[in-house]
């Protein structure tokens, strides 16, 4: 059902490779510029910006399965939370406090969770798929709650004290190290994902989103490709979760919650499904507005999110980035 | 034996409440192919109206139920006209986002208007206290819920299998375009079944208020359960929904009685197992 009416957009000439690299460079420059501006504009609020980076990685990973593969999921936080808990448990119970190792452990944790939930979720289609994804996130949540010896249950997992990065940069009270670490992580992953979505594998995923029957008729295995993408998505989400654990030094049960999944989906749709920039922009706008409004009244915040969602669905189905990109495109064509 | 019996009664009552609320969702999902996550919000609106009518205005319980059903339908009609009609046939992601948006708005507004506290719906004296069945006593409101569930199931069965509206409804579910070509006014069938679904949700929300307490997060908390019921039963199937409700009610209640520390772990495990084996639901039909 979700795939049928996107087929109109199939035939699009791919931009030349050189302009792609140029775009990547511009993208990296914009992220860097935004990061530096953020650092100097909100020197006392770096914790918020750092959280934003972790969530950005999470939303990027959701974009991989929802935007590029067309899998509607409300259970993606399972991957994020698995990464966070994997890194947190390694640090708190097994004494692995080297931050880059923790991130790697988180990536592995996320990949395993991605494999498990990918295999389960891809079993169904449509409603069944959605319900399976919801069941997965609740299952992970209950399991983490029950295994309180390892996860701390509803109290959260504390006692994570990461070592200095590379033995040089210590995590300071103001969160500067964590912020810079996060930016570096974000840029590396962003570049890797740009390469991934442009690779033959990424194009195959897009083909599956548009017409799975045709792709399987061409001889590609739809399910295996999707599961691979789920594992990759798990790696990215796991890195996001692990980074969150490293920077905040706690892991809460809410990282494995349904609300977390739903919010990530809202951010992705707000920014624009199927574009990496959209995922980044959606996260910035959502968390920025949330921080501003929820200080006033959390319930008004919920009403605003609801109204925002309805408005995006009705008036800007491509999201903020998609709509802006379309406007720019139209302006350019008009100029010629 | 005592535990077994009380688990049985609770599971039956819970399952019947689930059935009354989610059967409307199942019918609209089978008919209109809309993944309506806001269905629980309509049940919640019904609960709020009944609570306001019975507790604050002091009306009789029966009147409050009727007011709740009518009021919820009146609220739902403009939503159907202006929001739902735009997402018929849209990709699932769009439908999920739109209906989650509606749910969030309803939660926010309900909290603003009625406050974050639990709302009770005072039961009439006949439904309070236990009823003696000779060998066991059970709470009257649970018996009432079971009775309502059976009545709704029979009524719907009669409506869909034995009336001309039911024939048109089934025809539209099977093949909308063909039904329209044969002179069935599918738009009216759509609107009527949407109203019916919302009305049943409101009714279930009111009679189930003892088991599923009415509060602003009701819409989000039970939304998942209702969706699960439809998915397990198979969209559009009444017997499927009934079996799913009884089965899931039994699993959930048994889990709560016997291993409460695991929360809903076994419930969701069972859901995954069932959907894994029957991806189209227990009684779902192949497309």
């Amino acid at each position: 059902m979700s795939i049928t009416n996107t087929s109109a957009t199939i035939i699009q000439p791919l931009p030349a490779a050189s302009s792609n690299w140029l775009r990547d460079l511009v993208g990296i420059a914009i992220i860097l510029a935004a990061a530096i501006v953020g650092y100097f504009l909100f020197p006392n609020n770096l914790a918020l910006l750092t959280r934003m980076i972790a969530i950005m990685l999470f939303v990027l990973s959701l974009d991989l399965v929802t935007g590029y593969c067309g899998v509607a999921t409300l259970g993606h936080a399972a991957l994020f939370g698995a990464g966070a808990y994997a890194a947190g448990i390694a640090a708190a119970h097994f004494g692995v406090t080297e931050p880059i190792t923790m991130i790697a452990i988180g990536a592995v944790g996320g990949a395993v969770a991605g494999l498990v939930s990918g295999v389960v979720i891809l079993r169904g289609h449509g409603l069944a798929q959605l319900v399976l994804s919801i069941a997965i996130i609740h299952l992970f949540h209950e399991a983490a709650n029950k295994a309180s010896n390892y996860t701390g249950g509803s109290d959260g997992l504390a006692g994570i004290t990461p070592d200095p990065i590379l033995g040089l940069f210590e995590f300071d009270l103001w969160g500067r190290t964590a912020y810079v670490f996060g930016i570096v992580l974000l840029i590396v992953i962003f570049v890797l994902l740009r390469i991934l979505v442009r690779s033959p594998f990424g194009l195959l995923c897009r083909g599956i989103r548009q017409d799975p029957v045709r792709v399987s008729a061409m001889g590609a295995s739809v399910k295996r490709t999707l599961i691979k993408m789920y594992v990759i998505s798990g790696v990215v989400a796991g890195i996001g979760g692990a980074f969150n654990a490293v920077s905040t030094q706690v892991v809460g049960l809410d990282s494995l919650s349904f609300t977390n999944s739903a919010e990530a989906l809202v951010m992705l749709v707000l920014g624009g499904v199927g574009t990496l920039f959209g995922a980044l922009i959606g996260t910035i706008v959502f968390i920025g507005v949330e921080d501003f409004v929820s200080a006033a009244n959390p319930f008004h915040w919920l009403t605003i999110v609801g109204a925002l969602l309805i408005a995006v669905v009705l008036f800007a189905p491509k999201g903020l980035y998609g709509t802006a990109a379309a406007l720019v495109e139209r302006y350019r064509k008009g100029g010629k | 034996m005592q535990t077994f019996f009380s688990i049985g009664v609770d599971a039956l009552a819970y399952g019947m409440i689930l059935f009354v609320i989610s059967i409307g969702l199942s019918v609209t999902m089978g008919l209109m192919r809309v993944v309506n996550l806001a269905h629980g919000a309509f049940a919640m609106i019904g609960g709020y109206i009944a609570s306001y009518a019975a507790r604050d205005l002091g009306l009789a319980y029966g009147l409050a139920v009727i007011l709740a059903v009518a009021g919820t339908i009146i609220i739902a009609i403009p939503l159907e006209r202006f929001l739902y009609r735009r997402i018929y046939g849209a990709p699932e992601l769009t439908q999920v986002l739109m209906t989650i948006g509606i749910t969030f708005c309803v939660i926010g507004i309900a909290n603003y208007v009625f406050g974050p506290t639990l709302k009770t719906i005072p039961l009439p004296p006949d439904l309070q206290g236990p009823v003696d069945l000779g060998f066991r006593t059970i709470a009257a409101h649970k018996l009432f819920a079971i009775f309502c569930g059976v009545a709704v199931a029979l009524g719907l069965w009669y409506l869909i299998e034995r009336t001309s509206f039911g024939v048109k409804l089934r025809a539209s579910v099977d093949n909308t375009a063909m039904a329209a070509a044969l002179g069935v006014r599918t738009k009216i069938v759509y609107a009527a079944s949407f109203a019916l679904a919302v009305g049943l949700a409101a009714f279930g929300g009111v009679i189930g208020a003892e088991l599923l307490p009415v509060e602003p997060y009701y819409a989000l908390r039970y939304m998942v359960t209702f969706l699960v019921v439809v998915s397990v039963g198979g969209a559009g199937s009444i017997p499927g929904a009934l079996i799913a409700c009884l089965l899931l009610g039994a699993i959930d209640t048994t889990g709560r009685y016997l291993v409460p520390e695991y929360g809903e772990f076994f419930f969701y495990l069972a859901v995954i197992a069932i959907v894994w084996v029957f991806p189209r639901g227990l009684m779902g039909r192949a497309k």
Side-chain angles (χ1 to χ4, degrees):
Chain A
M1 196 151 62
S2 62
I3 24 220
T4 43
N5 65 348
T6 42
S7 48
T9 56
I10 289 181
I11 306 155
Q12 255 178 7
L14 287 171
S18 60
S19 90
N20 263 332
W21 288 111
L22 193 70
R23 265 196 205 182
D24 285 3
L25 282 180
V26 172
I28 294 169
I30 291 175
I31 296 177
L32 263 179
I36 293 168
V37 169
Y39 184 86
F40 285 107
L41 271 186
F42 308 101
N44 300 320
N45 228 349
L46 285 183
L48 179 74
L49 297 181
T50 312
R51 196 181 126 232
M52 226 181 237
I53 295 169
I55 303 291
M56 273 178 186
L57 291 171
F58 177 34
V59 177
L60 278 175
S61 82
L62 177 64
D63 199 13
L64 290 182
V65 293
T66 300
Y68 288 92
C69 299
V71 180
T73 163
L74 278 170
H76 212 66
L79 283 59
F80 178 78
Y85 271 112
I89 290 171
H93 294 291
F94 298 101
V96 183
T97 47
E98 211 290 306
I100 294 172
T101 320
M102 282 172 70
I103 299 279
I105 292 173
V108 173
V112 172
L115 182 65
V116 171
S117 55
V119 167
V120 171
I121 289 171
L122 294 172
R123 169 81 188 166
H125 292 283
L127 175 65
Q129 194 169 64
L130 210 58
V131 165
L132 282 172
S133 74
I134 296 173
I136 278 277
I137 184 64
H138 278 101
L139 210 58
F140 271 67
H141 185 270
E142 295 293 342
N145 192 16
K146 184 72 186 87
S148 53
N149 282 343
Y150 281 102
T151 61
S154 48
D155 297 334
L157 178 64
I160 304 166
T161 42
D163 294 339
I165 301 169
L166 303 173
L168 295 173
F169 308 102
E170 202 162 330
F171 285 94
D172 53 325
L173 204 56
W174 301 274
R176 284 180 199 144
T177 317
Y179 182 65
V180 175
F181 183 41
I183 292 291
V184 171
L185 213 54
L186 181 66
I187 288 178
V188 170
I189 288 179
F190 182 80
V191 170
L192 290 179
L193 288 187
R194 287 287 289 190
I195 295 171
L196 175 82
V197 299
R198 222 184 283 140
S199 67
F201 173 73
L203 293 178
L204 184 61
C205 286
R206 271 194 250 191
I208 289 174
R209 191 196 68 189
Q210 290 167 348
D211 197 339
V213 180
R214 203 152 144 189
V215 168
S216 60
M218 284 176 353
S221 165
V222 170
K223 199 155 182 186
R224 201 179 300 162
T225 313
L226 290 185
I227 288 179
K228 259 186 220 163
M229 193 53 142
Y230 239 101
V231 173
I232 296 173
S233 170
V235 170
V236 177
I239 290 175
F243 172 66
N244 202 33
V246 168
S247 62
T248 60
Q249 311 197 343
V250 288
V251 182
L253 213 47
D254 59 326
S255 62
L256 273 176
S257 66
F258 173 77
T259 331
N260 201 12
S261 311
E263 279 187 352
L265 197 58
V266 174
M267 291 179 215
L268 178 59
V269 171
L270 185 65
V273 178
T275 55
L276 297 180
F277 283 114
L280 301 184
I281 292 171
T283 314
I284 296 176
V285 172
F286 186 93
I287 296 188
V289 176
E290 180 191 33
D291 187 58
F292 183 71
V293 177
S294 65
N297 183 330
F299 281 95
H300 284 311
W301 164 237
L302 210 56
T303 318
I304 289 173
V305 174
L308 209 62
L309 266 178
I310 296 174
V312 165
V313 170
L314 291 184
F315 304 117
K318 288 177 181 168
L320 294 176
Y321 176 75
T323 309
L327 283 180
V328 168
E329 193 72 11
R330 197 193 292 172
Y331 176 77
R332 269 197 198 160
K333 276 193 183 153
K336 266 179 194 171
Chain B
M1 190 62 206
Q2 178 67 46
T3 332
F4 184 74
F5 183 74
S6 38
I7 290 178
V9 170
D10 279 8
L12 198 58
Y14 182 58
M16 282 304 183
I17 299 287
L18 279 186
F19 174 73
V20 173
I21 298 180
S22 33
I23 185 61
L25 183 62
S26 177
V27 169
T28 47
M29 224 177 250
L31 180 62
M32 305 178 199
R33 313 244 184 271
V34 171
V35 181
N36 182 9
L37 299 187
H39 196 74
F42 292 125
M44 181 177 86
I45 293 175
Y48 270 113
I49 295 177
S51 163
Y52 183 73
R55 203 175 60 158
D56 299 332
L57 300 181
L59 298 175
Y61 188 73
L63 201 58
V65 171
I66 295 170
L67 268 181
V69 172
T72 312
I73 292 177
I74 290 171
I75 291 176
I77 285 173
L79 288 180
E80 199 269 345
R81 179 71 192 77
F82 292 111
L83 296 180
Y84 280 91
R85 269 196 204 173
R86 292 164 180 263
I87 54 170
Y88 291 155
E92 256 140 53
L93 187 63
T94 314
Q95 299 180 342
V96 165
L97 292 166
M98 166 73 94
T99 51
I100 276 201
I102 294 173
T103 311
F104 281 172
C105 280
V106 170
I107 293 176
I109 293 168
N111 189 62
Y112 182 70
V113 177
F114 295 102
T117 50
L118 283 184
K119 293 285 173 198
T120 55
I121 303 171
L123 291 167
D126 291 345
L127 293 181
Q128 288 168 359
V131 171
D132 199 352
L133 291 181
F135 60 104
R136 285 276 189 277
T137 55
I138 59 175
H141 70 88
K142 284 179 189 163
L143 209 58
F144 178 64
I146 296 171
F147 171 76
C148 287
V150 174
V152 165
L154 288 178
L156 271 180
W157 173 80
Y158 183 79
L159 180 72
I160 289 181
E161 298 290 331
R162 289 283 182 270
T163 63
S164 69
F165 174 76
V167 172
K168 289 175 187 166
L169 179 65
R170 277 183 286 145
S172 310
V173 170
D174 283 344
N175 190 334
T176 312
M178 192 47 140
L182 291 174
V184 176
R185 296 166 80 178
T186 49
K187 278 236 167 90
I188 293 188
V189 174
Y190 274 27
S193 44
F194 189 80
L196 180 71
V198 168
L200 280 175
F203 181 61
V206 178
I207 61 164
E210 297 284 324
L211 291 170
L212 314 176
V214 177
E215 39 103 19
Y217 276 102
Y218 182 108
L220 209 56
R221 182 160 302 153
Y222 303 113
M223 167 192 95
V224 175
T225 318
F226 304 145
L227 270 186
V228 163
V229 165
V230 175
S231 166
V232 167
S237 156
I238 296 180
L242 191 58
I243 296 173
C245 287
L246 295 180
L247 189 65
L248 293 173
I251 294 171
D252 198 29
T253 313
T254 315
R256 278 175 207 281
Y257 264 92
L258 300 183
V259 277
E261 69 274 17
Y262 279 94
E264 296 188 306
F265 186 82
F266 290 106
F267 179 75
Y268 287 108
L269 202 61
V271 168
I272 290 181
I274 296 174
V275 179
W276 181 277
V277 181
F278 305 96
R280 296 189 192 289
L282 292 173
M283 310 279 275
R285 288 172 296 183
K287 274 179 207 164

